[in-house]
């Protein structure tokens, strides 16, 4: 499969490098990163802690500037955040002083009332928080807050969705359910998804391609296509073989 073809490429990262300035010297976090993501593709970024996954996502989202190289989306250089691209942060991005309902409503103010309400309702249902609509986020559990963050991002029907370990704080059952829901929505709406995780299982369940990063400086060590139709048979030999391959790639990059 390899890189997406020129025609349907959505996100193009070319020769990207990032150096964080520190007193006296610089910390090279990303080096020579090249990545092309097709429109409607689901790509997982997999790598050990500190390898630069969040930094890469932040640059693609326009929250951080690269030191060298470029990012284009639909052929236009990324110069800052854009409402067509939404971000689900590693730390909870929900507003504690707002209710579940109001948090999901944030990106939907432009919609007519009835449509907006119907949509919020649908996403409250999706994340299993019926009955908590009026609850302040500060009164929710960590996992519930994280579900609100995912719902808020999906509710605006974004063109590109950048997810930074959005399911990290969830228990394994909720995590599994949310993955299934994210896949269902993606199959329906076909937005482009770049999803950061350090969970091998998660990447094999979700992605069209898994991009494996090596640490210090963060580089792309391998790109592994996951050529299995959804819903994937999580117990199948092909699934197990892909997991083994990814663990091997990760341990190799860890050892460097
Ligand atoms: N704003 C910043 N200023 C200086 N250094 C930074 C900054 N942001 C990140 N770094 C450094 O860049 C490196 C990569 O960080 P990053 O958050 O991108 O890693 P990550 O792969 O997302 O890790 P994790 O899996 O733990 O979230 C780390 O060494 C971190 O200390
Ligand atoms: Mg991170």
């Amino acid at each position: 499969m390899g890189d997406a073809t020129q025609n349907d490429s959505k996100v193009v990262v070319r020769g990207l490098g990032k150096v964080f300035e520190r007193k006296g010297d610089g910390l090279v976090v990303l080096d020579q990163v090249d990545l092309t993501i097709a429109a409607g593709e689901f790509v997982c970024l997999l790598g050990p802690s500190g390898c630069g996954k969040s930094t890469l996502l932040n640059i693609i989202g326009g929250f951080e500037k690269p030191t060298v190289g470029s990012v284009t989306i639909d052929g236009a250089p990324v110069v800052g955040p854009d409402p067509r691209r939404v971000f689900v942060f590693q730390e909870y991005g929900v507003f504690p002083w707002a209710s579940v309902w109001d948090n999901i409503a944030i990106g939907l103010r432009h919609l007519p009332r009835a449509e907006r309400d119907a949509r919020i309702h649908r996403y409250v249902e999706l994340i299993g928080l019926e009955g908590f609509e009026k609850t302040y986020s500060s009164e929710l559990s960590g996992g519930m807050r994280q579900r609100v963050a995912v719902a808020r991002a999906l509710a605006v029907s974004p063109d590109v969705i950048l997810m930074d370990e959005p399911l990290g704080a969830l228990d394994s059952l909720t995590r599994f359910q949310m993955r299934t829901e994210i896949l269902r929505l993606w199959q329906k709406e076909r937005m482009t998804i770049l999803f950061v995780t350090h969970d091998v299982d998660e990447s094999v369940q979700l992605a069209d391609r898994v991009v494996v990063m090596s640490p210090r400086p963060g580089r792309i060590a391998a790109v592994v296509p996951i050529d299995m139709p959804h819903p994937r048979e999580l117990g199948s030999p092909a699934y197990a073989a892909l997991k083994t391959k990814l663990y091997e790639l990760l341990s190799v990059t860890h050892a460097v």
Side-chain angles (χ1 to χ4, degrees):
M1 212 185 286
D3 253 13
T5 58
Q6 210 63 37
N7 296 341
D8 61 357
S9 57
K10 182 86 186 169
V11 180
V12 179
V13 177
R14 280 291 164 260
L16 195 87
K18 178 71 182 177
V19 180
F20 281 115
E21 291 310 325
R22 294 189 301 188
K23 267 189 212 132
D25 62 346
L27 178 70
V28 183
V29 172
L30 295 170
D31 186 39
Q32 293 174 31
V33 173
D34 290 296
L35 179 65
T36 302
I37 300 171
E41 198 179 13
F42 198 137
V43 170
C44 279
L45 266 184
L46 181 69
S49 182
C51 74
K53 303 181 296 296
S54 295
T55 305
L56 179 56
L57 211 64
N58 281 327
I59 293 173
I60 293 172
F63 293 100
E64 191 87 65
K65 297 246 175 297
T67 308
V68 290
S70 66
V71 179
T72 56
I73 296 184
D74 291 327
V78 169
V79 289
D82 183 305
R84 287 169 303 169
R85 310 190 284 265
V86 299
F87 216 101
V88 182
F89 291 98
Q90 189 167 16
E91 306 296 331
Y92 314 120
V94 297
F95 298 117
W97 63 86
S99 66
V100 167
W101 184 274
D102 290 341
N103 261 292
I104 298 176
I106 280 163
L108 305 175
R109 291 201 199 93
H110 59 288
L111 293 179
R113 179 79 192 249
E115 193 185 334
R116 187 180 60 200
D117 288 357
R119 203 184 280 204
I120 298 171
H121 198 73
R122 190 157 65 106
Y123 282 90
V124 167
E125 236 173 43
L126 162 72
I127 57 172
L129 288 186
E130 302 102 316
F132 289 90
E133 289 88 344
K134 299 293 162 222
T135 305
Y136 286 107
S137 300
S138 55
E139 295 164 5
L140 297 174
S141 75
M144 290 158 112
R145 275 201 295 273
Q146 205 158 21
R147 281 184 268 160
V148 173
V150 171
R152 187 177 65 188
L154 294 173
V156 300
S157 300
D159 195 22
V160 177
I161 179 157
L162 304 164
M163 294 186 165
D164 194 350
E165 300 193 35
L167 311 181
L170 301 179
D171 64 278
S172 58
L173 180 62
T174 313
R175 203 176 163 118
F176 181 77
Q177 287 168 339
M178 288 298 290
R179 284 184 206 159
T180 309
E181 285 308 330
I182 289 171
L183 277 173
R184 195 176 59 77
L185 283 160
W186 170 71
Q187 286 179 305
K188 198 160 146 251
E189 316 224 346
R190 285 289 163 178
M191 65 288 235
T192 308
I193 300 184
L194 188 52
F195 188 109
V196 167
T197 181
H198 51 237
D199 184 328
V200 167
D201 226 320
E202 188 156 270
S203 70
V204 180
Q205 189 186 346
L206 294 175
D208 290 327
R209 284 187 299 152
V210 179
V211 174
V212 182
M213 288 180 68
S214 63
R216 266 177 228 113
R219 291 201 178 109
I220 293 179
V223 178
V224 179
I226 311 290
D227 235 342
M228 299 172 78
H230 291 287
R232 289 179 177 160
E233 267 190 64
L234 309 187
S236 71
Y239 195 87
L242 282 162
K243 275 173 61 176
T244 306
K245 182 174 182 175
L246 288 167
Y247 276 119
E248 276 169 11
L249 284 166
L250 279 175
S251 63
V252 169
T253 60
H254 249 95
V256 177

